[in-house]
Amino acid sequence: MSEREENTTHFGFKTVEEEKKVELVAEVFHSVAAKYDVMNDVLSMGIHRIWKRFTIDCSGIRHGQKVLDLAGGTGDLTAKFSRIVGQEGHVVLADINDSMLKVGRSKLRDLGIEGNVEYVQANAEELPFPDNHFDLVTIAFGLRNVTDKDKALASIYRVLKPGGRLLVLEFSKPIYKPVSKFYDFYSFNILPKLGKLIANDSESYQYLAESIRMHPNQESLKEMMENVGFEGTEFFNLSAGIVALHRGYKY
């Protein structure tokens, strides 16, 4: 295998050089940032709110603790965690994309959420935080866009305190064939058309559909988490496995 082949990865169904993927993903989220929340509601028919509520319920987060909402986008989880941890706690909304961070900061300030929230532009593979720092790290609908997922999971493990936990909320593999067939039809025929209609961007939503298909399935992601040191790892299938929540602990 040539050095060029060794340094390639997938961008949706395309094969690209690893360093190029970060740039391509950035272009997608620069494009969709302004309409991100609207599209989430339309494309999931509002169900993403239930998935995120389940994530909050599984977090075990308490008053005064520290949370990293990684790839936190427009801050839905950050808003909830900010209220739970209170002013004695601290929430970091981190995203590699500055357009998403700007939308998130503006949205949360409009909601009156300030004081205990910090905004950091950061790459999940090389988190700029101390070892053993956070009680909880969440990454919702972001891990599939990371170039080196193993490196990102190891970076997350490093910044978690002993006893801390990781929650990965991500699109996954439907567990029933009829659901899978409908989901494929919706993803590749309806989703890009809605992207064009609402956000004037069909290509970004075509990529999002493809990126979901390239993401590890439930068992594979669980194994990846265990390989970097997470224990007590488990996952919960939501909406028949269209989405899964993985949880692991650093002991």
Side-chain angles (χ1 to χ4, degrees):
M1 184 180 287
S2 70
E3 183 178 347
R4 183 179 180 83
E5 289 174 323
E6 289 176 352
N7 292 319
T8 60
T9 188
H10 57 81
F11 174 74
F13 292 160
K14 300 173 185 174
T15 299
V16 299
E17 294 181 14
E18 286 185 349
E19 61 268 24
K20 186 71 174 172
K21 179 172 179 176
V22 174
E23 178 184 330
L24 291 169
V25 170
E27 289 173 4
V28 168
F29 285 94
H30 284 312
S31 176
V32 305
K35 296 286 186 179
Y36 188 79
D37 285 341
V38 172
M39 288 298 291
N40 273 353
D41 279 330
V42 171
L43 297 179
S44 74
M45 293 171 283
I47 298 173
H48 75 98
R49 298 176 185 274
I50 297 173
W51 299 332
K52 289 170 182 172
R53 170 46 63 187
F54 182 75
T55 302
I56 298 286
D57 291 344
C58 288
S59 71
I61 203 65
R62 299 189 302 276
H63 187 84
Q65 291 189 319
K66 294 179 181 177
V67 179
L68 171 60
D69 182 12
L70 185 56
T74 58
D76 284 348
L77 291 178
T78 292
K80 300 291 187 184
F81 287 130
S82 171
R83 295 186 176 105
I84 294 171
V85 303
Q87 290 304 311
E88 289 75 31
H90 188 66
V91 183
V92 176
L93 171 55
D95 202 291
I96 196 171
N97 189 279
D98 64 323
S99 294
M100 295 293 284
L101 274 179
K102 286 173 183 173
V103 173
R105 184 187 293 113
S106 176
K107 172 180 163 183
L108 295 187
R109 285 180 177 171
D110 285 347
L111 292 172
I113 296 172
E114 294 184 89
N116 66 349
V117 175
E118 180 183 1
Y119 303 88
V120 176
Q121 188 171 357
N123 186 333
E125 297 174 26
E126 299 176 0
L127 292 172
F129 307 110
D131 295 356
N132 307 316
H133 187 69
F134 293 101
D135 298 286
L136 171 71
V137 176
T138 59
I139 180 166
F141 306 112
L143 186 61
R144 73 181 187 280
N145 298 307
V146 174
T147 302
D148 190 333
K149 296 174 181 60
D150 294 308
K151 190 174 179 182
L153 290 170
S155 184
I156 291 168
Y157 187 86
R158 177 186 64 78
V159 302
L160 274 170
K161 294 178 180 179
R165 55 223 167 273
L166 165 65
L167 295 175
V168 180
L169 181 66
E170 187 55 88
F171 292 106
S172 200
K173 309 299 179 191
I175 56 178
Y176 303 117
K177 228 173 219 182
V179 174
S180 185
K181 287 182 178 178
F182 169 77
Y183 185 47
D184 282 344
F185 176 81
Y186 176 81
S187 297
F188 292 105
N189 294 278
I190 307 300
L191 191 152
K193 289 183 174 66
L194 288 173
K196 178 66 175 175
L197 180 67
I198 298 171
N200 195 30
D201 184 351
S202 61
E203 289 184 2
S204 291
Y205 287 92
Q206 179 74 24
Y207 158 72
L208 291 176
E210 293 177 3
S211 70
I212 292 166
R213 299 319 185 279
M214 300 302 291
H215 186 66
N217 65 22
Q218 288 92 324
E219 289 291 348
S220 296
L221 180 54
K222 179 175 181 287
E223 184 177 348
M224 289 168 67
M225 291 171 64
E226 291 169 347
N227 286 342
V228 300
F230 284 101
E231 300 181 50
T233 309
E234 59 188 335
F235 63 83
F236 307 89
N237 284 315
L238 308 176
S239 300
I242 289 174
V243 166
L245 177 68
H246 284 70
R247 180 168 60 186
Y249 298 85
K250 177 179 179 178
Y251 292 134

